Structures are given as C-alpha cells and as structure tokens.
Amino acid sequence: MTSLDEELGLRGRLCSQVLPATDKELTFWGNFFSPKRRPNREEVLADYLPQFPPIHPSDFKVAGEATPGYLYCATCASYMTKYMPRVRLLFTLRNPTLRAYSEYLNKVVDRTVRRYLRKRIDNKMEKALDPRGSAPSFEALVQDVARTMEVCGEPGRTYSMPDPYDDEQERDHCYVNPFVGAGRYARYLKTYLEVVPADQMLLLDFDEWAADPAATSSAMRRVAAFLRLAPFEFDTGRAHNTHLARSVHVNLSASSSGAEVARDPIGRSLSFASHCVLHEFFTPYQQELDELLAQFGYAPMRWRTEVKEEQGGGRRTCSPGHRWRDLRHAAGWVPTGGSQASSQRKKKAQKKAKEKAAKRTKKNKKKRGQKKQVKSKSARGNANGGAPKRKKKPRPRLGGV
C-alpha cells in the first residue's frame, strides 16, 4: 500500500493530478478496531471532506487517501457509497503468508508488537505475551495458529479482532492473532464486491505488480486508467516500506531499490516450518477467495502460498498438511501422534466440563429441596394455630412520664 501511495504521489507529489489528504490513513469510515462505525452526514461534511484540498470542477484532478483498515470494516462500503456515490476504491492484495510476516516485522521496527497485540486481541491471548514485557516471536504466534487448526477444526469458525464470535468459538480456541487473521481476505472483501459497482473498484495482485519494474509500470497504467488520469512518468526503481527499509514512525520516507528487494526477498528469513504452517492455514481461505473472485468476474490472485524462497535463491515447496481437524476427517485421514494427544486432551476437558455441570445441577437441586422443606414446615406451623406470638417489649417512657 505504501509503494502504491508513493507511486500515485499522494505523499511524494510525483503526479500533480492526485492531491493527498492531510494524512495518509484517515481511518474516518472505520478500521480493524471499529469495524461497524456509522458516520452521519454532518460528520462527513465537518470532519472528513475538510481533510482534502478543494478542487474546482474545471480541474481534472482527484483526491484520495490510503487506509488499509477499510478492508476490515463491515459498514465502510455501504456508508462510502451512500455519501460518495462516485467513489473509486482500489485494493491491493498480497500473498497472505508474506503479508502476515511483513506486518510483524514492521511492528518490530516500530517497537509496537506487544501493544498492537494487546490492543487488537482484547486480552484473548494474554497467555502468549511474556509477563516480563517482551513481545512473542513470530514463530510463537505461528505455533499458536497451528494449535488453533488442531482444536478449532473448521476454517469457517476462526475469528480475529473485527469478527463476531460466540461462546463455543471462544471455548474451542478459534481465535487467531491479527497478523494472520487479516489475511482471510474473502470474508472481508465480499461486502465490497456486493455493494460497490464493478466499474468503481479495482483489485491488484501485489506480488504480481511488484515483481519487477515492467510489471509495476503495467499495473500503474491500469491504475491511471481506472482513476482517469492523464499519462505520467512513474518512478518504478524504488520500493517503499520494505523489510530492508521500513516507513514507520521512526523513518517516514524509507525506501530501497527494486534490485535490492529482488536479491533479498522477505520470505527468505521466515523459517520453512512456519511458512508451511501458514500455507496450510491459508489454503481453505485461498480457495474461498478464488471462488469469490470468479463469482464476480475477477481473475484469481496468482501467488502460491506453498512456495518459499530460500537463502541462496532456491525454492522449497510445502507438502500437504493435516492440521485442520475437520478437513482431515473429511479426507479420511486418521490422526496419529500429537494429533491423538490433542484429541485426548480435548476429550478430557469435555468430560471435566460435564462433571462440573453435573455437580452444579446436583447442588442446585439440593438447594431447591431445602427451600421446599422450609416452606412445608412453615405451612404446618400455620395449620396448627401458627407460631407463638412474640411478647412485645414495653416502650421506654420519655421524660419520666
């Protein structure tokens, strides 16, 4: 998103036809933290539109902002099109495995991993946060995702910060951390595809257009045509906010050359084991995304989550996994080893919960029986003439009268 922002000139002013807002990410319509915001007309006029420079109708210019969090907002599509019927939305989607790792590294440089997790998880993953104050490693977060696949079982039951959930999902540990949860694109993109007219929405494959300068130029020509901009020169030799040079709070304009990124892609520093766990996690969600895009007439994203870039320029491919409990049973796979142990632990936990519920029921029945017994005694006392009346104590006389 940062590279596209820079190419359009929203901050660098490379294109005089595109005017930026006062800030790159306004988050006015909602985001990951407020997925159901409902602004009214007065707020749009008073708080949102003044963030953009005035444009005269005779000027062939556009104004825009770049807020990735709008994708995860359930109400954004409806309210954007309500108050801005001709709005144009541009989404750039990335290989979800690399997106999760890149976001984590970005927070590491920004020194906000722990705060980010606390803010987004609503205390649902306190067990993963070191009490001494250090942030969990990305490998630790990935292992938590592996456990989620084992115990939660069904991909459709997982939830992250912006998603609604029920007690059963929470009980079965279906929560996934926001780095990974944000890569389940289909469940968030569907609302936009249903609400926004097709000619007002453009989807880009980040891994495709960022592959080399020629691909970047081709993608930017598509963007210029989509926004109805006159042709202009694009600076495709630089990549912004990469793992080699982050554009975070400590360095707002960091960039690196495309050649440097090509020689050292971000996926090389991620362990093969963690990469394969994430590939397995995202496989059903990738199928869901492909089906959704085909339904609305879009081409599928071409990234391959099973392929990992290795040090030295080689590649390794993940073998099929069996961590999704419901999927492996559907395929006739019999769990062994650790999976059996996990299943046994769950059965023990369920048995223990049933025993507690039985004890609670027995205790409640006993209490109700005691109340009935007290009532029956009271009824018998009234039938026998009632309980003896208490003698009234003489009232004290005041003033010696």
Side-chain angles (χ1 to χ4, degrees):
M1 180 61 76
T2 303
S3 289
L4 185 61
D5 174 48
E6 292 284 353
E7 292 290 347
L8 281 175
L10 289 181
R11 286 191 291 171
R13 296 294 183 94
L14 296 178
C15 176
S16 59
Q17 304 170 73
V18 180
L19 303 180
T22 55
D23 194 8
K24 175 191 170 187
E25 299 181 24
L26 297 181
T27 66
F28 172 82
W29 302 98
N31 56 20
F32 211 104
F33 308 115
S34 54
K36 294 185 178 180
R37 176 167 154 70
R38 293 175 171 82
N40 56 42
R41 187 174 183 274
E42 288 70 25
E43 288 179 291
V44 175
L45 293 174
D47 300 332
Y48 185 67
L49 294 182
Q51 302 289 335
F52 299 91
I55 301 176
H56 193 272
S58 61
D59 292 338
F60 295 96
K61 296 180 179 180
V62 297
E65 57 154 316
T67 303
Y70 287 156
L71 173 61
Y72 308 103
C73 171
T75 56
C76 282
S78 298
Y79 280 82
M80 284 179 183
T81 53
K82 176 181 179 180
Y83 296 113
M84 301 184 297
R86 294 188 294 175
V87 66
R88 289 182 173 263
L89 302 177
L90 197 159
F91 291 92
T92 174
L93 304 180
R94 186 178 191 177
N95 181 326
T97 297
L98 300 181
R99 195 217 68 81
Y101 189 43
S102 177
E103 186 182 21
Y104 176 84
L105 294 179
N106 195 66
K107 299 302 179 186
V108 168
V109 176
D110 207 13
R111 299 183 293 276
T112 57
V113 173
R114 186 178 174 84
R115 187 176 67 186
Y116 179 79
L117 286 173
R118 280 187 178 277
K119 187 174 184 181
R120 286 199 172 187
I121 63 182
D122 194 23
N123 295 325
K124 293 184 183 67
M125 271 184 61
E126 284 297 320
K127 56 182 174 47
L129 300 181
D130 193 310
R132 294 171 297 179
S134 61
S137 66
F138 190 72
E139 286 70 22
L141 294 176
V142 171
Q143 287 305 309
D144 190 78
V145 172
R147 288 190 291 272
T148 296
M149 286 189 281
E150 288 277 359
V151 299
C152 182
E154 183 184 344
R157 298 183 66 216
T158 61
Y159 67 98
S160 197
M161 186 58 182
D163 307 323
Y165 63 95
D166 55 35
D167 293 339
E168 290 186 356
Q169 287 172 276
E170 187 172 12
R171 180 200 65 197
D172 294 342
H173 305 287
C174 294
Y175 179 84
V176 290
N177 68 76
F179 297 112
V180 176
R184 301 162 302 153
Y185 299 130
R187 65 173 58 187
Y188 307 118
L189 191 62
K190 184 179 180 181
T191 302
Y192 284 90
L193 293 173
E194 292 174 340
V195 173
V196 182
D199 61 344
Q200 293 178 218
M201 188 166 163
L202 178 64
L203 299 180
L204 291 178
D205 184 336
F206 174 88
D207 299 85
E208 185 178 8
W209 73 262
D212 54 66
T216 304
S217 295
S218 176
M220 291 307 301
R221 283 193 293 271
R222 287 180 60 197
V223 172
F226 173 69
L227 297 178
R228 300 175 182 175
L229 303 176
F232 67 96
E233 293 295 325
F234 307 111
D235 181 13
T236 59
R238 306 293 298 177
H240 302 270
N241 195 20
T242 71
H243 61 291
L244 302 177
R246 288 291 180 183
S247 298
V248 294
H249 297 152
V250 294
N251 193 347
L252 294 175
S253 59
S255 65
S256 51
S257 70
E260 291 174 328
V261 177
R263 286 194 301 267
D264 187 15
I266 186 173
R268 289 185 182 176
S269 58
L270 178 63
S271 71
F272 184 67
S274 294
H275 182 100
C276 290
V277 169
L278 293 178
H279 157 64
E280 186 178 349
F281 175 83
F282 285 119
T283 294
Y285 300 111
Q286 184 61 42
Q287 295 172 352
E288 184 184 15
L289 178 62
D290 291 343
E291 293 172 1
L292 179 67
L293 294 179
Q295 177 185 346
F296 287 89
Y298 288 90
M301 298 294 155
R302 297 183 179 179
W303 59 64
R304 295 179 60 192
T305 58
E306 73 273 18
V307 177
K308 182 190 180 301
E309 299 280 352
E310 289 290 294
Q311 297 290 345
R315 291 185 174 188
R316 293 179 68 182
T317 302
C318 300
S319 59
H322 303 287
R323 289 185 180 85
W324 280 116
R325 188 187 69 233
D326 289 6
L327 296 184
R328 72 187 182 220
H329 289 326
W333 183 78
V334 179
T336 59
S339 299
Q340 283 184 341
S342 176
S343 178
Q344 290 172 359
R345 284 195 299 270
K346 187 173 181 182
K347 285 181 180 179
K348 287 182 179 179
Q350 291 174 343
K351 184 178 178 181
K352 192 173 182 180
K354 287 181 180 179
E355 290 175 353
K356 284 185 177 180
K359 286 181 180 179
R360 238 182 349 257
T361 303
K362 188 176 180 180
K363 190 175 181 180
N364 291 336
K365 285 183 178 179
K366 189 176 180 181
K367 284 183 178 179
R368 286 196 295 269
Q370 290 175 348
K371 287 181 181 179
K372 287 181 180 179
Q373 189 177 2
V374 170
K375 286 182 179 179
S376 63
K377 286 182 178 179
S378 175
R380 284 197 301 271
N382 291 333
N384 295 329
K389 295 183 179 180
R390 293 181 180 178
K391 292 182 180 180
K392 291 184 178 181
K393 293 182 179 180
R395 295 177 65 182
R397 295 184 178 185
L398 301 178
V401 179

